Amino acid sequence: METDDRLGEVLGALDAGLPAALDRLIDFVRIPSVSTDPAYAADVRRAAEWLRGELAALGFEAALRETAGHPVVLARSAPGGGRSLLFYGHYDVQPVDPVELWDHDPFDARVEDRAAGAVIRGRGASDDKGQLMTFVEACRAWKAVHGSVPAGLTLLFEGEEECGSPSLAPFLAAHADELRASLALICDTGMYADGRPAITTQLRGLMGEEIVVRAADRDLHSGNFGGLAANPIQVLVNALAGIKDDSGRVTLPGFYDGVDELTNQLRADWDDLGFDAAEYLSRVGLSQPIGERGRTGLEMVWNRPTFEINGIAGGYAGDGFKTVLPAEARAKVSCRLVGTQDPEAIRAALQAHVRAHVPADCTVEFHPHGSAPASRMDITDPAFAAARAALTEEWGREAAYIGAGGSIPVGGDFQRILGMDVMLIGFGRDDDRIHSPNEKYNVESFAKGARSWARVLAAIR
Amino acid sequence: METDDRLGEVLGALDAGLPAALDRLIDFVRIPSVSTDPAYAADVRRAAEWLRGELAALGFEAALRETAGHPVVLARSAPGGGRSLLFYGHYDVQPVDPVELWDHDPFDARVEDRAAGAVIRGRGASDDKGQLMTFVEACRAWKAVHGSVPAGLTLLFEGEEECGSPSLAPFLAAHADELRASLALICDTGMYADGRPAITTQLRGLMGEEIVVRAADRDLHSGNFGGLAANPIQVLVNALAGIKDDSGRVTLPGFYDGVDELTNQLRADWDDLGFDAAEYLSRVGLSQPIGERGRTGLEMVWNRPTFEINGIAGGYAGDGFKTVLPAEARAKVSCRLVGTQDPEAIRAALQAHVRAHVPADCTVEFHPHGSAPASRMDITDPAFAAARAALTEEWGREAAYIGAGGSIPVGGDFQRILGMDVMLIGFGRDDDRIHSPNEKYNVESFAKGARSWARVLAAIR
């Protein structure tokens, strides 16, 4: 069959080109594009330029598009024979702290041979540079072998995903006509388990908030003021302690508005995955779920909302001891959201709760850090069945429909702003240590990921 | 009268020598002897050497005595005509964070003219370099004018006061026979109010503890693990929130064992001081006492125990946002103690309370940071009345017997280990900003402080 032959040649080209593709990925990971830290702004732009250069070299019409923050890289193929598709990835990465826990410089990326298979190690190797490059390499192979990709492709890469994507929704809204396609493809998710490919059909949302409590106009000596003056750390701690009750439920009024129970079908599908929460936790040195009582492990991470304290700081926490009542204390907190929970209503409930704990002599300041509702995909589009079959073919195992605990706000943005369906396919592994020291991406994920996209591009008609 | 003439000459020499004395103090403050931070170890030793040099130049037999930590500077005069006295001060200083809040380099000490009178500004200008130099300058003047100080003097300067004095008690115990005198003098306290001299007759004790809670063996992505895995910040926050109740009382079992009510006499004396808590707090931007209900302001800072969180850190608290469940969180907490409270019993109660909040998948580690019971002085020694009269004479206002909220563990150590009475006289002001940015010492405190000690040395017989 002609299609099979055409695809076979592309897969062969990908296999032959793997060493060069790995070199390209390593160059890319070596650019420290930490979007949340202003000190790296020039590096973030350098990563965008690198990507633009790669896409232009493939014959795409590629350009940087400025935003209020980091630029968007936008590229477009000549109209192909297939459906119009919009591919999304992000070229920015998480900070590297605590950097002393890395085995080597997080940006000195390299391929390392491991008993379980080779990996590319470095910040962003998996999230999302390695992932997005699987798609770019698939396009490269199609172009090299057949002169074109089998679809009308627009590629959109943002540089602010790790700091809440503040510029993306405005960018999509401003360029909706230019960007709209028949389906969006996103490569920023994982396999279900080693070797089992997956399409993610629901994502949790996110609401992030920074809380700053201030008291005296300077740090105070606890001998001179302790017992008399307000301590902002204590105020903050008191406010944060009551937000979850003993059963793991969040106590903010209205928090569970819009939280749906699983459908019976989805519950059966997920049960079939045989998720073992204790085994999953054991990979990070833990042993037991600490979430809401009466929920399965997969519900806790895919279908239940959370409240977490992501960072806290106040007073002197360095070596030694300083008997101080500090002038201020701060915490960064976030909620993962599901169903139709309203991020801004929850932000308001959080602020009201904290304010109720702030005594007369203290002030509180709030700084919002991103918000996105949860999203669910419409899997009745035949592209889903086609992609599922292509993934199953590549990996030799039935591809699964799964949920994700993380937030990829762009999924919801594409649905809401562009009115497009979204298909999330990715090749990350649970042990990729994304957002943690020693992040890696399996060479197998990279190689078979590119082959998977080559197949999916052929399958979606 | 001969004594008055002899003293008058000494006071005249102090007045004439003030500019040179200020230059010496500035040299001393410029040595960044931050004892709690290992990075400054060489500077701490340099400060000890500087002090040894000054004392040797006065004809004292002066030497550095090694300890397990920073050295002790010990000096001894030829036996004088008066009582044997042991003077104590500390040459180490607090850290300078947050350094960006200083008007200039904390160690670029200088004299600054202010509307309210000139000050010496720099870390340690008041606590305790300026204070201890008042005594050294008084000795210098006595020696210069009369060839000897009117007492058998031993001077002991430690370099670990700001990190809990771990080596001092062992040093006192090991050298008790050499150090014992008829009375100890300590210059590390303040005036009661601007211009009103004071002798401090009771000090709060201290118990410091660092708490480290750990969960997963790495930082976790809150999308992949939030809702399922333990969050050490939340565990720590939950443990710390319950330690004080809504009325400001500490809830640890047995915490108030050994806490006495004020005697009627002391309560009357303190009421007579006319302390205005609201005015005191207004100097640091606050307005109302937040301590135990039903206690006066002076009771809260001088005669009631406290629990304070001095520092807390966990997760990502820098610019931007990182949706992480951290591997660990830590807090430094301390209690100010009164009466006969037992620091180690309270440490044990704190540890038990925290442990009860640590779930199965978390561990907790405790690091002790200093402990000292409270102490009260025996003011029936006639030296107290003599010193009080001398201070009243110098300042033109009745000297007060006061308490102190801070901890000077050496006071209790001298009582317990050396069996000596202790007299605490100091010239610090409430607005000296000790332990805070822009610490200063009034030139008046320095000049009249030295004159005060010259008088006290003459008065104690």
Side-chain angles (χ1 to χ4, degrees), chain A residues 94 97 217-219 222 224 228 231 280 284 287-288 290 308 310 312 314 318 320 322 332 336 361 436, chain B residues 94 97 217 219 222 224 228 231 280 283-284 287-288 290 308 312 314 318 320 322 324 332 336 361 436:
Chain A
Q94 278 275 316
D97 329 57
D217 60 16
R218 70 200 70 172
D219 289 355
S222 79
N224 294 344
L228 188 66
N231 182 334
Y280 179 72
V284 295
S287 66
Q288 47 194 267
I290 202 171
E308 296 290 354
N310 304 116
I312 193 165
K322 195 171 168 187
K332 295 178 197 250
R336 297 285 174 178
D361 258 352
S436 294
Chain B
Q94 279 275 316
D97 329 56
D217 59 16
D219 288 355
S222 78
N224 294 344
L228 190 64
N231 182 334
Y280 179 72
R283 299 178 211 167
V284 294
S287 66
Q288 47 195 266
I290 202 172
E308 297 289 354
I312 193 165
K322 194 171 167 187
V324 74
K332 296 179 197 251
R336 298 284 174 178
D361 257 352
S436 294

Side-chain angles (χ1 to χ4, degrees), chain A residues 158-243:
Chain A
E158 74 155 319
E160 301 185 330
E161 200 272 345
E162 299 295 3
C163 54
S165 298
S167 305
L168 190 72
F171 185 85
L172 297 182
H175 304 280
D177 289 342
E178 183 184 358
L179 296 171
R180 197 171 287 119
S182 78
L183 184 66
L185 306 177
I186 298 182
C187 191
D188 196 18
T189 51
M191 322 266 292
Y192 171 67
D194 276 2
R196 183 155 186 193
I199 302 176
T200 302
T201 69
Q202 65 179 56
L203 296 163
R204 290 197 290 193
L206 182 70
M207 187 285 295
E209 184 86 352
E210 182 168 8
I211 303 163
V212 185
V213 177
R214 294 196 175 86
D217 60 16
R218 70 200 70 172
D219 289 355
L220 304 177
H221 188 301
S222 79
N224 294 344
F225 287 92
L228 188 66
N231 182 334
I233 304 179
Q234 187 74 57
V235 170
L236 184 63
V237 155
N238 290 354
L240 295 175
I243 294 179

Side-chain angles (χ1 to χ4, degrees), chain B residues 12-88:
Chain B
L14 281 169
D15 293 346
L18 180 61
L22 283 169
D23 286 345
R24 282 188 288 271
L25 175 56
I26 283 169
D27 284 349
F28 191 24
V29 176
R30 286 185 171 175
I31 306 172
S33 49
V34 180
S35 56
T36 200
D37 186 340
Y40 291 92
D43 295 305
V44 175
R45 181 167 294 270
R46 195 150 56 88
E49 288 287 2
W50 185 93
L51 202 47
R52 190 202 57 75
E54 287 295 310
L55 295 166
L58 297 190
F60 291 164
E61 184 192 321
L64 260 57
R65 305 285 281 266
E66 298 304 326
T67 72
H70 302 299
V72 163
V73 181
L74 202 65
R76 195 181 295 278
S77 70
R83 278 171 66 167
S84 64
L85 299 172
L86 173 62
F87 180 83
Y88 164 90

